[in-house]
């Protein structure tokens, strides 16, 4: 019996929808400065960003707006984000400035530490659920090590950017440009928190 045209079209549509919903492979949200829009665009069968962020908040105690603002600043929600390359002799593309990769821009060594400490050896930096949990794990360790409040997006981001050793040394104190960068993250977290209240999300 021949397959109807309707069944063929429905089947192809379902396949396309499933492919688009695969975790870590979909495009970044189009509207990234409104967290309500981000969560609305990423509420698929196979990846639900709101659910993942809220699970991390419950597990790590870091508020959703801080988690999302950190990821927004680090990668603009690009799953395969990488730092720029350096240039040999000023024009030959060479090595990248660091091993940072994925949504969270985690370095190779720090990601390996996260995998070991959490027992999540299969975690991938291109998977949003893993990446947001990494941010929560990192901020939680920062808060406990330095006595920083878990909603202090400014200092949490400085420690995220400079690393625990650099933050503890105060490397950021003589870098006003990077302090401004952290302030932008703090402002984004504040905006996200206000937006969540208006779109009915639970913080």
């Amino acid at each position: 019996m021949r397959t109807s045209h309707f069944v063929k079209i429905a089947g192809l549509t379902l396949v396309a929808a499933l492919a688009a919903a695969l975790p870590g492979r979909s495009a970044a949200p189009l509207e990234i400065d409104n967290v309500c829009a981000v969560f609305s665009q990423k509420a698929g069968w196979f990846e639900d960003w709101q659910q993942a962020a809220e699970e991390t908040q419950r597990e790590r105690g870091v508020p959703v707006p801080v988690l999302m603002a950190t990821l927004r600043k680090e990668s603009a929600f690009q799953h395969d984000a990488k730092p720029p390359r350096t240039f040999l002799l000023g024009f030959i593309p060479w090595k990248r400035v660091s091993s940072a990769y994925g949504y969270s821009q985690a370095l190779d060594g720090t990601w390996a530490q996260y995998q070991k400490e959490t027992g999540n050896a299969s975690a991938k930096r291109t998977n949003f659920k893993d990446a947001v949990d990494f941010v929560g794990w990192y901020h939680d360790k920062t808060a406990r090590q330095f006595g920083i409040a878990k909603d202090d997006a400014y200092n949490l981001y400085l420690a995220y950017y400079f690393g625990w050793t650099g933050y503890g040394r105060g490397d950021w104190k003589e870098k006003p440009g990077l302090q401004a960068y952290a302030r932008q993250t703090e402002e984004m977290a504040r905006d996200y928190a206000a937006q969540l209240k208006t779109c009915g999300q639970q913080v």
Side-chain angles (χ1 to χ4, degrees):
M1 183 175 65
R2 295 176 62 186
T3 304
S4 72
H5 180 70
F6 174 79
V7 171
K8 288 181 180 179
I9 294 299
L12 290 173
T13 301
L14 178 60
V15 169
L18 290 173
L22 288 174
R25 297 191 181 278
S26 54
L30 297 177
E31 173 54 75
I32 63 175
D33 291 333
N34 187 308
V35 75
C36 301
V38 171
F39 285 154
S40 177
Q41 293 170 84
K42 295 296 182 178
W45 292 343
F46 293 97
E47 63 171 2
D48 187 323
W49 285 18
Q50 178 188 350
Q51 183 180 64
E54 290 177 348
E55 285 179 0
T56 294
Q57 176 180 273
R58 289 191 293 271
E59 178 74 16
R60 311 292 182 187
V62 181
V64 169
V66 176
L67 297 169
M68 296 299 288
T70 302
L71 292 169
R72 162 69 178 84
K73 177 57 71 176
E74 285 296 283
S75 67
F77 302 121
Q78 296 284 342
H79 77 279
D80 57 353
K82 298 177 182 179
R85 290 187 180 277
T86 56
F87 287 86
L88 185 64
L89 302 177
F91 65 94
I92 302 173
W94 199 238
K95 297 178 181 179
R96 296 189 185 277
V97 296
S98 78
S99 63
Y101 182 59
Y103 287 115
S104 63
Q105 290 294 279
L107 300 173
D108 289 350
T110 316
W111 189 260
Q113 180 183 351
Y114 163 75
Q115 290 177 305
K116 181 178 181 180
E117 290 190 8
T118 62
N120 189 5
S122 63
K124 294 180 174 59
R125 285 175 280 184
T126 55
N127 180 286
F128 181 83
K129 182 177 174 63
D130 294 334
V132 74
D133 187 62
F134 171 84
V135 173
W137 167 83
Y138 197 100
H139 284 342
D140 176 48
K141 289 175 74 71
T142 297
R144 289 188 283 109
Q145 181 173 345
F146 296 103
I148 298 171
K150 292 186 178 180
D151 62 353
D152 184 351
Y154 176 74
N155 281 290
L156 289 174
Y157 186 78
L158 284 173
Y160 194 88
Y161 188 95
F162 286 97
W164 295 306
T165 300
Y167 181 80
R169 283 197 306 254
D171 291 354
W172 51 275
K173 293 180 180 179
E174 301 302 322
K175 298 185 182 297
L178 292 176
Q179 291 175 35
Y181 209 60
R183 288 294 179 204
Q184 292 170 8
T185 305
E186 179 183 45
E187 292 170 6
M188 181 59 65
R190 190 180 301 117
D191 288 346
Y192 277 177
Q195 291 163 5
L196 282 171
K197 294 177 181 178
T198 66
C199 63
Q201 309 294 342
Q202 296 297 313
V203 181

